[in-house]
Amino acid sequence: MDLLRLEEEVREKAAEYLDEITEENLKAFAESTQFIAQSVLENFYLGVDELYTEGVLKLEDEKQLNAFFDFHDGYRAKMRLWANQNPISIREMKIEASLERPHKECNGTKGPFAVVGVGTLIAAGLVIAGVGVWIVVAAELLALASAAYLYKKNAQKKADDYAFKVDQYQIQIDLEKARLVNGLIKDLKTWLSKAESHSESLLASFGIN
């Protein structure tokens, strides 16, 4: 049983399909791993069949050979029957998302001079008698500077929070992905090991030790 091929090809398909987690990609990954395991099993029992019908261990007793090679009740037919009775199936189920997806918030100020959250502003400006009153401009400049500072600070904080949250989700995704792939490989190996044990029992039933 080529378990090395199984693991290598499943991991290749994981890299191919699970880089982006979508419904379609998960389904494609499941279908591909199902095909890989079935192919490994088929190659195994066809190889065993060939070994005892045409290979170096070809059965010399004609009656034994005919029984082993029988289309309906021979080794190959019974291995196919086992695979049909112990299928790898794909099931779909609807789920309700329990986690809020990270989303980026970017709320601007209400107006060009709106300043929120900076407390009381004290503008110091010049008033030149008979020329002009610069205190108004100074107040507007202070308001703009304060608004710009707060906007950048809030935007940066939200961006950091967003990035941190996304990183948290990515860590969780990677852990769950590894658990999916490793667990799937382990279970497929168990399935193939059971098939191999069944093969050994069949060989014994045909008088092959």
Side-chain angles (χ1 to χ4, degrees):
M1 195 71 73
D2 194 350
L3 299 181
L4 180 60
R5 174 201 161 191
L6 171 82
E7 182 163 356
E8 287 179 346
E9 292 190 7
V10 168
R11 293 194 184 283
E12 286 174 2
K13 292 300 180 181
E16 178 180 351
Y17 289 115
L18 300 184
D19 182 52
E20 179 183 4
I21 308 297
T22 65
E23 292 177 35
E24 295 78 10
N25 287 352
L26 284 172
K27 184 176 181 180
F29 175 66
E31 291 174 343
S32 67
T33 53
Q34 179 190 40
F35 174 79
I36 291 167
Q38 291 171 338
S39 177
V40 169
L41 174 58
E42 186 174 283
N43 287 348
F44 168 75
Y45 70 71
L46 290 180
V48 172
D49 181 84
E50 182 181 2
L51 180 65
Y52 290 104
T53 58
E54 301 176 9
V56 295
L57 297 180
K58 181 178 179 179
L59 299 173
E60 296 180 359
D61 184 274
E62 186 174 351
K63 184 178 180 180
Q64 185 185 31
L65 177 62
N66 288 337
F68 183 83
F69 195 65
D70 187 84
F71 182 77
H72 294 288
D73 296 314
Y75 169 81
R76 187 188 302 188
K78 289 185 175 181
M79 285 300 296
R80 284 176 175 164
L81 178 62
W82 184 92
N84 289 333
Q85 292 176 340
N86 299 270
I88 299 174
S89 61
I90 298 175
R91 297 182 182 180
E92 295 182 0
M93 63 182 294
K94 293 182 179 180
I95 60 171
E96 294 295 332
S98 60
L99 291 175
E100 180 185 355
R101 295 179 181 177
H103 55 279
K104 192 171 184 178
E105 297 179 359
C106 191
N107 297 326
T109 56
K110 296 179 180 179
F113 303 107
V115 181
V116 181
V118 295
T120 302
L121 293 176
I122 300 176
L126 294 177
V127 176
I128 300 174
V131 177
V133 182
W134 293 95
I135 185 63
V136 175
V137 177
E140 290 180 353
L141 182 58
L142 178 62
L144 282 172
S146 298
Y149 171 77
L150 281 179
Y151 180 84
K152 290 177 182 178
K153 183 178 178 181
N154 289 337
Q156 183 61 48
K157 183 177 183 301
K158 289 174 181 176
D160 290 344
D161 290 345
Y162 173 75
F164 176 73
K165 192 65 174 179
V166 170
D167 287 343
Q168 280 189 316
Y169 278 122
Q170 190 58 53
I171 291 171
Q172 291 178 332
I173 288 170
D174 290 341
L175 289 173
E176 288 301 304
K177 189 190 300 184
R179 186 170 75 156
L180 170 65
V181 175
N182 293 333
L184 185 60
I185 289 172
K186 181 181 178 181
D187 286 352
L188 289 176
K189 285 182 177 181
T190 299
W191 183 77
L192 291 171
S193 294
K194 288 181 179 180
E196 190 169 16
S197 295
H198 183 68
S199 171
E200 292 171 357
S201 297
L202 286 179
L203 293 178
S205 71
F206 289 109
I208 302 171
N209 297 322

